[in-house]
Amino acid sequence: MTSRGAGPALSRKNYRLSTEPEKSKVAGIVNSRLLNDYLHRVFTSADGNQPAAAYRKHLTFQNLQEHLDRLLAEENGPEDSRDQGAEGRLGPSTVVLDHTSGFEGLLLVDDDLLGVIGHSNFGSIRATTCVYKGKWIYEVLISSQGLMQIGWCTLNCRFNQEEGVGDTPDSYAYDGNRVRKWNVTTTNYGKSWAAGDIVSCLIDLDEGTIAFCLNGISLGTAFDNITRGAGMAYFPAISLSFKESVAFNFGSRPLRYPVEGYHPLQDPPVADLVKARRLLGYLKNVIHIGIDVTEGKLVEKDTSMWQLQGEPTVLITLAHIFNYFSPLMCKVYLVEDVLMTFLLSILERGGAVEAHPLIQQLLDLMWLLMEEYEVHECLKQLLMSLLRAYRFSPIIPDLGLQIHYLRLTIAVLKHEKSRKYLLSNVLFDVLRSVVFFYIKSPLRVEEAGLQELIPTTWWPNRFTKEGKESKDVKEESAEERLRRRAYERGCQRLKKRIEVVEGLQVQILKLLLNNKDRGGGEASRYIFLNKFRKFLQENASNRGNLTVLCPPEYMVCFLHRLIAALRFFWDGHKAKTPAALSSDEAYVPPQLFYNGKVDYFDLQRLGGLLSHLKKTLKDDLAAKANVLIDPAELQSVTMDDLDEDEESATSAAQSQRPSAALAIGGALARPGWLSSPTLGRANRFLSTAAVSLMNPRRPLGTLEKVKVRTLSVEQRTEEDIEGTHGNEGLLLGRPPEEPDQPITENSLLEILDGIVMMYNLSVHQQLGKMVGVSDDVNEYAMALKDTEEKISRCPKRRRDIHEELLKSQKVFSEKLNHLSRRLAWINVTIYSKEKMQDIYWLLRVCIRTIKHGDRTGSLFAFMPEFYLSVAMNSYSALKNYFSPVNSMEELPGYEETLMRLAAILAKHFADSRIVGTDIRDSLMQALASYVCYPHSLRAVERIPEEQRISMMKNLLAPYEQRPWAQTNWILVRLWRGCGFGYRYTRLPHLLKTKPEDASLPSLQKPCPSTLLQRHMADLLRSDRDLAPSFLNSVLNQLNWAFSEFIGMIQEIQQAAERLERNFVDSRQLKVCATCFDLSVSLLRVLEMTVTLAPEIFLDWNRPSSELLLRRLAQLLNQVLNRVTAERNLFDRVVNLRLPGLESVDHYPILVAVTGILVRLLVDTDAQGAERATAVMLADPCFQLRSIQYLLGHAEPSALAAAAPATEKRHFSLNTYTEYISTEELAKVDKMLSHLSEESKQAAATTLPTSEEDLCPICYAHPISAIFRPCSHKSCKACINQHLMNNKDCFFCKATITGVDDFTKPASS
């Protein structure tokens, strides 16, 4: 036997085989008889029969190619059938979307011209091929469940930004978002679709009907009697709104749900299919049949354990097969229909993926026997097919389809060479591989089989007045308990099934994070790391461009799987290196933020822009971290920043131009991550005005070159990340405060940093969004309970009402059954205990990272802002989003974590190293929310005393030139529950209305902090400068807020009195209510100060006490006069009860003022009361009537005037007995009688003062002060208040050097 003929047959790869007969024995090629039998067994004819040995041709490797050619050419039948199938169709044989003329509006179209994303109000596009007779079908893969109309149209249909497919004659569409069908008019049709569904569009031009299917289930005939005849041909078409996306399958890939009798618009490659299936059959034969050389016979082999053991006969046979098979495996249809089906069938036998080494062997064969470009294309198409199959498989009870595709993905990625190729070129660049980590939520629970899995539904049905779920379990009836337990068992069954899928997804990530596979280049983990960073960059820098972002629902799942994989490797490293930290102690060391080894793109740092920090802190970097910055590089950074600004300004200007300019310019950066179902790179940006290719704004490499002492993401190697002896890699520049101990592998630190960034990008907002389903369940449960109560009260004679109520009850029950099953799914996939522990772990990572960063002093400014944001948001998520299912209190170390977060908020809300106003506001709001809840307030009280006092000092800083409303609110919360009549959760007049959200911080029960109040009192007493500056700023803000409020209610009253119908701007009403709320809260802070440290006002040995008391009395009298005057402006606006002004009422503002007055006039010593009384009565605005109003004592004249009118109830504190104690009311009585008596005495003893002796500034007090050196005069109150802000004389503008008491000489 000779192998001479192998030359031409194996021309694709140069197999150098011996040509001499004797060498064949050495090489191991079997004898000619055995080879002949073997080749005939492998290469059977099309019918599967082998001719008898006597009649069959003797086969060798010399004539094998000729034999193979003959076998593959046996069936030519399909050629004829293909021609017949094309009848009734016009247009190119390859059907794509018409991106040259067949569209309207702005659209982004994928490279393969099958995926489309809406980029305008309502863009439309049709296919390149139309049909005029016969039965046709195409499929649409739905990627987003928004507003779209999918169907058929003719060439004459004209669409615009308002009218699309189905809105014109001769166009027909199905809209699963609104569950309707459209043909000029619209009616209900079909079911609602969700992302991940497949819509089949069928047209029968013989019968004149159009129908649609959803995931293979027919929705029935949508239209009949459609227009047919000469000139009528129908194109597949779609209209879709902004950022909605789909992908079409006209037949370029096997249809997922073929319908008998209907042809895909694009013919399948029948001849190639037959050929590929035959070749695959031969390949299977090679695997099945073994050669026993010693016995000289053929044997059946166990296929699952097949291995290519260097047998030349087998190898050359396979080379012949792959010679024909390889080119076919570059075609997507054949990869999906032949190769993927075959690989899946191998795994169908069950067992772990490791139990099927055959797939690894086949991938080895592909890399050995196929050209490199063919393997690349084949693997790319295989992964894309797997991704589509995974994403668009319907949810079935055991999630079998998803598990099936994930197992094959794992099997492919287990192959090292394939994994590295896919990681480097496909997974993040072409595919949206994050889809593999997503578990979609079924919109239609019936089809997902959740009814069988969770047969019994349950929902909470006990609510408090505020609409919160009642925590009292004692009320639960036996029947309810049984239902709840059955429901929980169903949820557990569901959880077990979903955990199988999650386990497989984590397995994929473990393969991608493998750092031991260094064979043939870099380990997978380092390729993944660089791709992951780029993925984060695309999502961080394209916040505005929705089409580029990874959808938040994918990001949530990706985050949890990545945390699981990361902790697996982290703890694995800890097991090998005991000195390292475990994942429970994980944090990101501070040097990552300033040494330039990790790219944070243009994300904001705590201290501002990176370029600014490098300039201002370069000395600190050199001294503390031994990081030197070259001045030339600093200059280049600065210049580059300028370029960036210019470019972004140009791009912003372009984006404001009309749509034509959009298409031509580079206003949109080339999206790297589209929401199309298949490809990630959309290169065609279509607009009605122009068509162009989009170019990137600037190649990514140039962004990186300006980073000081760093490499671009793509250029980094394992050594740059992990470091080697003498090179610390990512940990370069360790500050002295940082402990010198190993944490973990550097690469894992960067992944951890990326996870924190992911949470900040979109995970938090998605966690908040999904709580909506739980809220819906509560709303429907309340409605159902209300309906059942109405049914029980309904009189028997009103049968009509009874029937309507029963209908409502049925609707609510059905909706609740559906929602409770959907909620079970969401609770398992998003809010399970394990997911909660992940978020809690992330919170603790951030707290530790901030603590380590804080120790570095000025270098803390380099930390990215998102670390503080994630610390606050993850705590908020744990408290507000997970709470119905899992309690945060059960988490390990919960109290300690709470206290450490409190310490961070208390320290950093006024940290001078943090410059961003947004992050400072967030910290302040988080602290304000923290002090509203008892458990978190106690955490604040547990932080070290020094930090508590520092926090209170920052809260008492003067209000000018800083956002003071939040800090004032914090002080109010610390006082609420201690003030006069200040024990309410909601205002008395609002109790009957239901709050929008009962979990708001402002609606929590009062929980005052006496400890923090004590700190405040000590600070005000001990610091002589702090008290006057703080109180003057509070009085200034109160003056401003109340004046603004009065000005606004005047405008509102005038608008309301006009005869023509006027609508007051809702924003104006909101601002007005805010000014009122601010006035009340400022009054409460004054009450708090007067109560805790009355000597600040009443001890006149203090230089500013008298002035502060006079200012306070002046403001209190003004507020009282405005609010208590009979038939005044305030009364009239309150009685209008305008929406938006609900909080404006007499009670909150009057009890606050009363609290201050009672403290000054009653709850103090005799001397203090005397001083306060004298100042009150001396104020020209004082009116005793205002004090009488508080207890409902109206003036006799006013009563007489009001009598004929409707008997209007006067305001009186006596009516609020639930809110004001009898003891408090007694004090008001005492104050009133005291002031009445004192005012009578004052009136009797006061001598008339001539106008000449009155202060020329206020005309309220006698002259009592003379200025040096100019000798001008005024009263003490006026000059003291003036000198707070100005040193010039009122009259001559001379600088005042001193003020002396002035007493009028007796002689004059």
Side-chain angles (χ1 to χ4, degrees):
M1 168 219 129
T2 176
S3 52
R4 196 184 297 280
L10 301 176
S11 58
R12 301 168 46 75
K13 289 234 178 186
N14 295 322
Y15 291 99
R16 302 188 61 190
L17 299 172
S18 167
T19 53
E20 296 174 29
E22 65 275 7
K23 286 204 180 168
S24 67
K25 290 172 191 163
V26 181
I29 294 176
V30 296
N31 64 58
S32 61
R33 182 188 59 77
L34 192 54
L35 178 67
N36 177 48
D37 288 349
Y38 176 69
L39 293 177
H40 274 290
R41 279 282 297 279
V42 169
F43 299 101
T44 54
S45 58
D47 55 10
N49 298 325
Q50 293 181 44
Y55 297 101
R56 67 187 184 198
K57 184 180 175 185
H58 186 80
L59 282 181
T60 64
F61 285 134
Q62 290 172 308
N63 60 9
L64 179 57
Q65 185 180 1
E66 182 192 331
H67 179 67
L68 252 173
D69 284 337
R70 192 168 62 253
L71 282 176
L72 293 173
E74 272 178 11
E75 293 185 19
N76 291 321
E79 296 294 331
D80 310 328
S81 64
R82 190 170 62 178
D83 295 339
Q84 291 166 9
E87 197 184 350
R89 183 181 63 193
L90 294 170
S93 58
T94 301
V95 186
V96 291
L97 295 171
D98 188 348
H99 68 289
T100 53
S101 59
F103 64 90
E104 169 63 42
L106 276 76
L107 300 153
L108 284 159
V109 178
D110 279 356
D111 278 345
D112 61 0
L113 297 179
L114 293 172
V116 62
I117 301 171
H119 209 73
S120 59
N121 186 35
F122 204 48
S124 303
I125 191 165
R126 62 170 186 261
T128 50
T129 298
C130 60
V131 291
Y132 58 90
K133 73 172 183 180
K135 295 179 177 183
W136 303 91
I137 181 175
Y138 71 92
E139 288 180 343
V140 181
L141 287 64
I142 307 288
S143 299
S144 59
Q145 60 197 55
L147 182 60
M148 296 182 274
Q149 291 170 204
I150 299 170
W152 304 84
C153 74
T154 62
L155 199 57
N156 298 327
C157 295
R158 293 284 172 266
F159 304 128
N160 55 41
Q161 292 288 302
E162 275 73 44
E163 292 184 337
V165 181
D167 298 325
T168 62
D170 300 331
S171 70
Y172 306 88
Y174 160 48
D175 169 5
N177 176 260
R178 292 173 288 190
V179 196
R180 304 183 80 77
K181 59 180 182 180
W182 299 80
N183 174 231
V184 184
T185 58
T186 177
T187 50
N188 291 339
Y189 172 79
K191 296 177 181 175
S192 59
W193 60 38
D197 285 342
I198 295 180
V199 174
S200 308
C201 305
L202 295 83
I203 189 167
D204 182 346
L205 288 156
D206 301 333
E207 298 293 326
T209 61
I210 288 174
F212 298 91
C213 302
L214 189 62
N215 294 330
I217 299 164
S218 174
L219 302 175
T221 301
F223 306 99
D224 47 21
N225 294 322
I226 62 170
T227 315
R228 288 172 291 164
M232 292 303 291
Y234 287 92
F235 292 84
I238 185 172
S239 299
L240 65 178
S241 54
F242 180 66
K243 82 180 174 58
E244 302 304 336
S245 60
V246 299
F248 286 83
N249 181 10
F250 298 113
S252 59
R253 301 186 299 276
L255 292 180
R256 191 63 180 274
Y257 302 106
V259 178
E260 197 177 341
Y262 285 82
H263 297 284
L265 261 81
Q266 182 173 325
D267 290 324
V270 181
D272 283 348
L273 256 178
V274 172
K275 207 174 184 182
R277 283 177 185 151
R278 292 289 299 281
L279 289 162
L280 181 66
Y282 302 152
L283 179 59
K284 286 180 186 173
N285 290 344
V286 172
I287 294 166
H288 277 286
I289 301 158
I291 307 170
D292 187 338
V293 185
T294 52
E295 294 286 324
K297 62 176 184 180
L298 304 179
V299 289
E300 291 287 330
K301 289 181 82 172
D302 174 12
T303 57
S304 62
M305 303 311 287
W306 181 83
Q307 283 188 315
L308 179 66
Q309 291 163 334
E311 300 169 16
T313 311
V314 177
L315 186 61
I316 295 169
T317 310
L318 285 167
H320 278 87
I321 296 172
F322 271 90
N323 188 38
Y324 295 90
F325 195 53
S326 300
L328 298 176
M329 285 302 103
C330 296
K331 298 179 180 176
V332 58
Y333 195 108
L334 304 175
V335 169
E336 199 163 312
D337 193 77
V338 179
L339 182 63
M340 189 168 98
T341 312
F342 170 53
L343 295 176
L344 285 168
S345 69
I346 295 172
L347 290 174
E348 265 170 7
R349 298 166 196 152
V353 177
E354 291 79 6
H356 302 287
L358 179 57
I359 292 177
Q360 306 297 303
Q361 293 293 320
L362 289 169
L363 287 166
D364 278 338
L365 272 182
M366 287 163 69
W367 282 98
L368 178 68
L369 299 173
M370 291 169 75
E371 297 289 350
E372 203 163 82
Y373 72 89
E374 291 171 339
V375 189
H376 290 174
E377 186 61 25
C378 178
L379 283 171
K380 177 178 141 186
Q381 296 298 352
L382 176 61
L383 251 279
M384 286 172 73
S385 298
L386 272 171
L387 188 83
R388 263 193 303 268
Y390 175 76
R391 187 176 178 191
F392 294 98
S393 290
I395 298 283
I396 55 173
D398 65 351
L399 295 161
L401 297 169
Q402 281 76 8
I403 289 169
H404 205 36
Y405 297 122
L406 285 175
R407 277 163 56 83
L408 180 51
T409 309
I410 290 169
V412 172
L413 292 174
K414 269 186 174 299
H415 189 264
E416 184 181 323
K417 200 169 180 184
S418 304
R419 173 170 71 246
K420 287 184 181 176
Y421 164 71
L422 291 167
L423 249 179
S424 302
N425 303 289
V426 178
L427 287 178
F428 282 96
D429 299 305
V430 180
L431 282 190
R432 318 187 52 178
S433 56
V434 174
V435 173
F436 278 126
F437 311 115
Y438 175 54
I439 302 176
K440 63 183 177 186
S441 172
L443 201 63
R444 299 171 301 279
V445 294
E446 305 81 21
E447 288 166 29
L450 289 186
Q451 279 169 326
E452 294 78 41
L453 209 57
I454 308 172
T456 311
T457 56
W458 172 86
W459 50 85
N461 59 2
R462 293 171 311 288
F463 300 95
T464 57
K465 285 178 190 171
E466 287 97 2
K468 286 181 174 177
E469 187 188 338
S470 167
K471 298 282 181 194
D472 191 3
V473 188
K474 288 175 190 168
E475 301 171 30
E476 196 174 43
S477 67
E479 186 194 346
E480 273 184 341
R481 193 179 305 113
L482 284 171
R483 273 185 62 199
R484 180 171 58 79
R485 286 178 180 167
Y487 176 70
E488 285 167 358
R489 282 196 300 275
C491 294
Q492 281 304 315
R493 285 194 293 273
L494 175 65
K495 187 177 180 182
K496 281 187 180 128
R497 294 183 178 188
I498 284 176
E499 279 172 350
V500 174
V501 177
E502 290 178 350
L504 291 170
Q505 292 171 331
V506 173
Q507 229 174 308
I508 291 177
L509 273 170
K510 284 179 184 173
L511 288 169
L512 301 184
L513 291 178
N514 183 346
N515 65 338
K516 300 288 182 277
D517 55 347
R518 294 190 182 85
E522 211 171 5
S524 301
R525 182 183 297 177
Y526 305 101
I527 306 171
F528 173 85
L529 206 56
N530 293 336
K531 296 292 178 184
F532 178 53
R533 206 78 202 164
K534 203 166 167 204
F535 159 77
L536 290 172
Q537 182 175 11
E538 287 178 343
N539 280 276
S541 53
N542 284 300
R543 299 301 292 269
N545 187 2
L546 293 162
T547 54
V548 183
L549 302 185
C550 167
E553 58 270 25
Y554 294 2
M555 207 71 119
V556 174
C557 294
F558 186 28
L559 177 102
H560 288 298
R561 308 305 170 263
L562 199 50
I563 287 176
L566 172 80
R567 294 191 70 176
F568 168 81
F569 283 108
W570 194 300
D571 291 331
H573 179 74
K574 162 76 176 165
K576 288 183 224 150
T577 319
L581 297 179
S582 75
S583 65
D584 285 324
E585 304 164 290
Y587 71 95
V588 179
Q591 55 265 47
L592 255 73
F593 308 135
Y594 57 72
N595 66 14
K597 294 284 184 181
V598 176
D599 186 5
Y600 288 100
F601 335 124
D602 51 357
L603 293 177
Q604 189 77 1
R605 310 298 182 103
L606 292 176
L609 287 171
L610 182 64
S611 52
H612 164 74
L613 290 173
K614 280 185 171 171
K615 267 192 278 184
T616 53
L617 297 177
K618 64 177 187 292
D619 295 339
D620 289 3
L621 277 173
K624 286 189 177 183
N626 202 22
V627 173
L628 299 173
I629 294 178
D630 181 4
E633 284 178 334
L634 261 184
Q635 186 63 32
S636 71
V637 170
T638 318
M639 294 309 294
D640 195 78
D641 285 346
L642 289 172
D643 293 349
E644 282 286 343
D645 293 343
E646 282 168 22
E647 283 186 8
S648 56
T650 334
S651 107
Q654 281 179 345
S655 63
Q656 285 163 10
R657 292 180 204 152
S659 55
L662 257 179
I664 298 157
L668 280 164
R670 183 171 181 241
W673 240 71
L674 287 171
S675 41
S676 107
T678 51
L679 289 172
R681 301 283 184 195
N683 277 352
R684 289 176 176 78
F685 182 60
L686 307 186
S687 100
T688 317
V691 180
S692 80
L693 284 175
M694 290 197 304
N695 296 316
R697 195 160 63 96
R698 172 197 284 197
L700 282 169
T702 52
L703 270 176
E704 308 296 334
K705 73 181 180 204
V706 301
K707 293 280 187 286
V708 179
R709 310 178 73 232
T710 187
L711 290 162
S712 79
V713 168
E714 287 84 353
Q715 290 170 342
R716 294 187 311 168
T717 62
E718 180 179 343
E719 193 177 318
D720 296 317
I721 294 167
E722 299 292 4
T724 51
H725 303 296
N727 167 17
E728 294 178 90
L730 291 185
L731 297 182
L732 174 82
R734 181 175 60 83
E737 298 84 359
E738 189 63 15
D740 186 11
Q741 71 168 98
I743 303 171
T744 186
E745 295 166 288
N746 292 356
S747 49
L748 298 180
L749 290 173
E750 188 174 332
I751 292 170
L752 176 58
D753 175 72
I755 289 172
V756 179
M757 196 191 295
M758 272 169 69
Y759 186 89
N760 185 58
L761 288 175
S762 59
V763 172
H764 182 72
Q765 72 187 56
Q766 182 65 13
L767 289 177
K769 187 177 165 189
M770 296 311 287
V771 172
V773 179
S774 174
D775 294 342
D776 289 348
V777 168
N778 286 344
E779 277 184 31
Y780 276 104
M782 283 177 74
L784 179 63
K785 191 179 179 187
D786 189 40
T787 308
E788 285 169 348
E789 283 172 7
K790 283 177 183 170
I791 289 172
S792 65
R793 295 199 308 268
C794 180
K796 288 182 181 175
R797 63 180 184 279
R798 296 304 306 269
R799 296 199 54 175
D800 52 337
I801 295 175
H802 195 258
E803 281 173 16
E804 284 301 315
L805 286 170
L806 286 174
K807 277 185 198 169
S808 300
Q809 184 189 22
K810 188 184 173 198
V811 169
F812 290 144
S813 294
E814 283 175 0
K815 188 74 181 172
L816 275 166
N817 282 331
H818 170 88
L819 279 174
S820 67
R821 289 187 177 109
R822 188 151 179 253
L823 184 62
W825 184 280
I826 288 166
N827 283 343
V828 169
T829 52
I830 297 174
Y831 300 120
S832 71
K833 192 168 185 182
E834 292 73 18
K835 309 290 183 296
M836 187 181 195
Q837 285 163 346
D838 282 351
I839 305 298
Y840 181 58
W841 177 78
L842 204 57
L843 165 64
R844 296 177 74 167
V845 164
C846 290
I847 288 174
R848 278 189 290 269
T849 302
I850 293 163
K851 188 180 168 189
H852 280 264
D854 181 29
R855 286 185 200 149
T856 60
S858 58
L859 299 184
F860 181 57
F862 281 96
M863 181 179 284
E865 281 185 356
F866 65 77
Y867 273 89
L868 278 168
S869 300
V870 172
M872 294 182 283
N873 289 338
S874 55
Y875 168 71
S876 162
L878 290 166
K879 185 162 70 71
N880 300 320
Y881 304 157
F882 288 85
S883 55
V885 191
N886 299 293
S887 170
M888 193 179 169
E889 282 84 354
E890 294 166 12
L891 292 165
Y894 161 73
E895 294 290 337
E896 171 70 12
T897 303
L898 214 56
M899 191 266 284
R900 289 171 67 186
L901 181 59
I904 285 171
L905 296 176
K907 178 167 186 181
H908 297 301
F909 84 91
D911 191 336
S912 58
R913 294 171 295 179
I914 300 174
V915 299
T917 49
D918 288 349
I919 192 72
R920 287 175 78 100
D921 283 352
S922 299
L923 283 161
M924 218 173 282
Q925 282 169 16
L927 184 60
S929 167
Y930 227 69
V931 297
C932 291
Y933 299 89
H935 59 280
S936 47
L937 177 60
R938 301 298 159 248
V940 176
E941 292 178 345
R942 287 199 309 275
I943 66 177
E945 184 174 0
E946 188 188 334
Q947 289 186 16
R948 290 199 302 268
I949 293 170
S950 170
M951 175 186 87
M952 292 310 296
K953 194 166 185 176
N954 286 324
L955 289 173
L956 296 176
Y959 283 6
E960 282 80 19
Q961 277 132 32
R962 73 183 182 93
W964 55 270
Q966 282 291 353
T967 52
N968 192 73
W969 162 246
I970 294 170
L971 291 172
V972 169
R973 281 305 307 195
L974 298 177
W975 177 242
R976 193 174 193 164
C978 295
F980 181 92
Y982 201 33
R983 289 169 292 280
Y984 57 80
T985 303
R986 298 188 67 212
L987 288 167
H989 68 288
L990 293 179
L991 271 186
K992 289 174 186 170
T993 60
K994 181 177 176 283
E996 284 180 19
D997 182 1
S999 62
L1000 285 172
S1002 56
L1003 295 177
Q1004 302 311 305
K1005 288 180 180 174
C1007 51
S1009 170
T1010 48
L1011 176 66
L1012 296 175
Q1013 285 174 24
R1014 198 163 63 243
H1015 290 324
M1016 177 175 167
D1018 293 344
L1019 282 165
L1020 290 171
R1021 284 195 196 103
S1022 60
D1023 193 332
R1024 289 289 176 117
D1025 297 330
L1026 177 69
S1029 62
F1030 168 66
L1031 286 167
N1032 274 313
S1033 68
V1034 173
L1035 291 165
N1036 289 342
Q1037 300 302 348
L1038 175 59
N1039 188 19
W1040 167 82
F1042 192 71
S1043 305
E1044 285 289 311
F1045 168 69
I1046 293 296
M1048 283 183 179
I1049 61 172
Q1050 281 173 341
E1051 290 174 25
I1052 291 165
Q1053 173 64 17
Q1054 287 163 6
E1057 282 178 346
R1058 290 190 196 121
L1059 291 172
E1060 67 271 19
R1061 187 167 177 75
N1062 269 292
F1063 292 98
V1064 185
D1065 183 10
S1066 61
R1067 280 175 302 177
Q1068 189 183 359
L1069 291 174
K1070 197 172 178 184
V1071 173
C1072 179
T1074 304
C1075 285
F1076 179 78
D1077 293 340
L1078 285 174
S1079 304
V1080 173
S1081 64
L1082 288 160
L1083 282 165
R1084 285 296 184 186
V1085 168
L1086 287 168
E1087 180 195 16
M1088 181 183 184
T1089 314
V1090 169
T1091 310
L1092 295 174
E1095 59 269 35
I1096 295 170
F1097 294 95
L1098 301 176
D1099 176 5
W1100 285 7
N1101 294 325
R1102 285 171 166 258
S1104 53
S1105 289
E1106 186 184 350
L1107 173 63
L1108 286 170
L1109 186 58
R1110 288 187 189 284
R1111 285 198 71 193
L1112 179 63
Q1114 187 185 5
L1115 276 168
L1116 293 180
N1117 282 323
Q1118 282 178 9
V1119 171
L1120 278 171
N1121 295 344
R1122 288 284 192 178
V1123 176
T1124 62
E1126 283 295 327
R1127 293 187 298 285
N1128 69 1
L1129 182 65
F1130 187 85
D1131 263 350
R1132 292 201 294 272
V1133 171
V1134 167
N1135 292 332
L1136 286 173
R1137 290 285 170 225
L1138 294 171
L1141 289 186
E1142 293 89 354
S1143 64
V1144 178
D1145 192 61
H1146 292 83
Y1147 180 83
I1149 198 159
L1150 288 180
V1151 285
V1153 172
T1154 309
I1156 299 171
L1157 291 174
V1158 165
R1159 187 70 190 83
L1160 286 171
L1161 301 168
V1162 181
D1163 290 349
T1164 187
D1165 57 24
Q1167 187 189 28
E1170 187 187 324
R1171 283 175 178 169
T1173 308
V1175 169
M1176 279 296 290
L1177 296 179
D1179 188 72
C1181 300
F1182 174 75
Q1183 294 177 13
L1184 187 62
R1185 176 192 57 74
S1186 298
I1187 309 292
Q1188 291 166 338
Y1189 182 95
L1190 297 174
L1191 293 172
H1193 304 169
E1195 293 172 289
S1197 59
L1199 279 173
T1206 53
E1207 288 200 15
K1208 183 191 159 197
R1209 286 178 60 202
H1210 279 276
F1211 175 85
S1212 170
L1213 294 176
N1214 289 311
T1215 56
Y1216 295 94
T1217 49
E1218 287 183 30
Y1219 295 86
I1220 304 170
S1221 67
T1222 48
E1223 189 189 336
E1224 287 174 330
L1225 285 169
K1227 287 179 182 177
V1228 182
D1229 266 328
K1230 187 177 175 185
M1231 177 181 78
L1232 178 56
S1233 53
H1234 170 71
L1235 283 172
S1236 303
E1237 188 60 37
E1238 290 293 327
S1239 60
K1240 280 178 194 169
Q1241 286 182 16
T1245 56
T1246 306
L1247 294 169
T1249 311
S1250 72
E1251 194 172 313
E1252 289 174 11
D1253 297 335
L1254 286 174
C1255 167
I1257 301 298
C1258 65
Y1259 284 93
H1261 305 292
I1263 292 171
S1264 56
I1266 183 165
F1267 317 155
R1268 284 201 309 265
C1270 60
S1271 298
H1272 285 113
K1273 306 177 189 75
S1274 77
C1275 67
K1276 274 188 185 172
C1278 287
I1279 187 60
N1280 285 348
Q1281 193 162 345
H1282 177 67
L1283 287 175
M1284 284 168 56
N1285 304 310
N1286 199 328
K1287 301 295 179 195
D1288 295 344
C1289 171
F1290 289 117
F1291 308 102
C1292 64
K1293 302 299 178 197
T1295 303
I1296 297 170
T1297 57
V1299 177
D1300 298 324
D1301 289 349
F1302 173 78
T1303 312
K1304 188 177 178 184
S1307 58
S1308 63

